[in-house]
Amino acid sequence: MAKNIDWKNLGFGYIESDYRFVSNYKDGAWDEGQLITDANIVLNECAGVFQYAQTVFEGLKAYYTKDGHVVCFRPDLNGQRLEDSARRLEMPVYPADKFVEAVKRVVEANIDSVPPYGTGASLYVRPYMMGTNPVIGVKPADEYQFRVFVTPVGPYFKGGAKPISIKISDFDRAAPHGTGHIKAGLNYAMSLHAIQEAHREGFAENMYLDPATRTKVEETGGANFIFVSSDGHTLITPKSDSILPSITRRSLMYVAEHYLGMKVAHREVLLSEVKDFAEVGLCGTAAVISPVGRIHTNDGDILVPSGMDDMGPVLTKLRQTLLDIQHGELTAPEGWVVTIK
Ligand SMILES: *Cc1c(COP(=O)(O)O)cnc(C)c1O
């Protein structure tokens, strides 16, 4: 029985679910892990996660398809990315195959919290990992915990995907030491001030530029950019070592090429050429694509030709095609849609 939740009016917030998966790393090995009911964590005041922010995370969604299965989308890529993030922060790797198993176990245990098909809502899955033992000298922890919890979330857009205004950030995006290409709490902590500043000035998001020259487009705080060429035939996405490799973006590039017959380009994108693009979008798990209508720069605003009323036609088609693949209405490439139940 589905839980007594008002699925249609769910926002994007935390709702405690019944079960979470926990595995501990000690003496050089992960234990086999278990499902538990306690949502709270008790740690020593000097735990590595509190002192030197040794924590990395992932985010993906589980949802019902039309034919009544519960599935998730490309969880193996989230598992691989968590491995990369962990290596970069000198944390032990939680193997991607065990990661996928843990995700499946937690979703299955909380199957009552998966929003029904057709509500636009989904079950957001949050795997993460942190250093747990006391660390006072600057060094990695010796003990870690890997956890997966879930929370039902509403559709990202209520009543259509309205284009947003964004601004060129006054701040550099990457946390110190160039950790921008991993999914880590510290990257987000470093972006909180920039995003709040943008909100205070009336913008929904930031566009970060490369810190060295401030001439090339990187990404936003939590989504990659995609651009449609002026002739509508090419999907372009910026290339840089400090951009988080979005699974949505990689999937959209594949869909553009193999389902829609578009050309795709993964290359450096200069800020000076953005004014020539027909459509601009942000992409990530939560919204799939959010359209951008206006970009504020210190030399005046770039008004994207697709405007402030609706998402442009190419990104609309692209978004719908990926949604149809995710929901089983179009045949997915091998391994993209993983059945949980
Ligand atoms: C999560 C995230 C994205 C989007 O990645 P998806 O895998 O598509 O959800 C983009 N940029 C940053 C910085 C992120 O943390």
Side-chain angles (χ1 to χ4, degrees):
M1 263 307 284
K3 291 215 164 191
N4 189 16
I5 292 176
D6 183 7
W7 304 109
K8 288 230 152 68
N9 292 306
L10 266 182
F12 199 93
Y14 172 73
I15 297 174
E16 193 177 311
S17 59
D18 295 337
Y19 297 98
R20 63 277 303 124
F21 178 84
V22 180
S23 174
N24 290 300
Y25 180 90
K26 199 176 171 168
D27 301 327
W30 290 103
D31 66 17
E32 62 190 54
Q34 57 175 329
L35 292 170
I36 63 166
T37 54
D38 190 355
N40 296 305
I41 303 175
V42 177
L43 286 179
N44 183 272
E45 61 192 350
C46 196
V49 57
F50 299 138
Q51 303 313 321
Y52 304 118
Q54 241 190 330
T55 174
V56 293
F57 69 96
E58 272 303 324
L60 66 160
K61 289 190 293 197
Y63 48 92
Y64 271 102
T65 55
K66 206 176 195 170
D67 58 3
H69 288 291
V70 175
V71 302
C72 59
F73 186 68
R74 308 187 80 179
D76 52 319
L77 297 188
N78 294 95
Q80 284 163 21
R81 199 167 59 185
L82 192 78
E83 287 194 5
D84 292 340
S85 297
R87 283 188 198 99
R88 185 61 180 78
L89 290 196
E90 288 294 331
M91 302 167 84
V93 158
Y94 195 82
D97 54 338
K98 287 177 69 184
F99 171 103
V100 173
E101 281 315 306
V103 167
K104 288 181 174 171
R105 270 180 78 180
V106 179
V107 172
E108 228 183 326
N110 294 287
I111 209 89
D112 295 351
S113 296
V114 184
Y117 179 80
T119 53
S122 57
L123 189 70
Y124 184 73
V125 183
R126 171 53 61 94
Y128 64 116
M129 217 168 101
M130 77 212 110
T132 49
N133 67 302
V135 180
I136 195 72
V138 179
K139 62 172 173 47
D142 303 305
E143 295 174 12
Y144 294 84
Q145 188 165 90
F146 168 78
R147 296 176 78 102
V148 184
F149 72 81
V150 296
T151 179
V153 293
Y156 197 81
F157 297 121
K158 290 201 162 74
K162 279 283 166 205
I164 55 173
S165 288
I166 66 173
K167 66 167 290 197
I168 305 291
S169 179
D170 302 324
F171 303 90
D172 292 333
R173 169 180 154 274
H177 323 304
T179 49
H181 64 293
I182 60 172
K183 226 169 163 69
L186 72 105
N187 294 338
Y188 277 74
M190 292 301 290
S191 74
L192 294 177
H193 181 61
I195 187 77
Q196 292 306 106
E197 286 281 284
H199 288 172
R200 284 189 275 269
E201 294 166 30
F203 299 98
E205 262 298 351
N206 281 301
M207 171 185 272
Y208 293 103
L209 303 176
D210 74 295
T213 71
R214 292 189 63 87
T215 58
K216 289 174 252 177
V217 177
E218 299 241 298
E219 60 170 332
T220 66
N224 286 180
F225 278 104
I226 47 175
F227 302 103
V228 176
S229 61
S230 57
D231 65 6
H233 295 328
T234 308
L235 188 71
I236 300 137
T237 196
K239 187 174 196 165
S240 153
D241 283 345
S242 56
I243 293 176
L244 197 278
S246 157
I247 294 163
T248 314
R249 184 256 297 164
R250 285 181 272 167
S251 304
L252 288 168
M253 298 295 279
Y254 184 93
V255 167
E257 188 174 359
H258 298 278
Y259 286 69
L260 302 181
M262 294 178 69
K263 283 186 279 213
V264 296
H266 188 199
R267 60 163 174 83
E268 284 189 344
V269 173
L270 296 173
L271 174 60
S272 59
E273 63 178 314
V274 170
K275 63 176 185 348
D276 302 326
F277 294 130
E279 299 178 39
V280 177
L282 297 176
C283 63
T285 294
V288 181
I289 299 176
S290 319
V292 174
R294 180 170 74 114
I295 304 164
H296 176 71
T297 82
N298 290 334
D299 305 320
D301 286 3
I302 299 169
L303 301 176
V304 181
S306 52
M308 288 302 289
D309 292 328
D310 290 301
M311 190 182 294
V314 178
L315 292 186
T316 300
K317 176 94 187 132
L318 187 59
R319 178 167 187 272
Q320 194 55 50
T321 308
L322 184 61
L323 285 171
D324 287 349
I325 290 169
Q326 290 181 334
H327 290 274
E329 317 213 350
L330 270 176
T331 306
E334 181 75 33
W336 277 26
V337 178
V338 173
T339 304
I340 295 171
K341 195 206 82 161

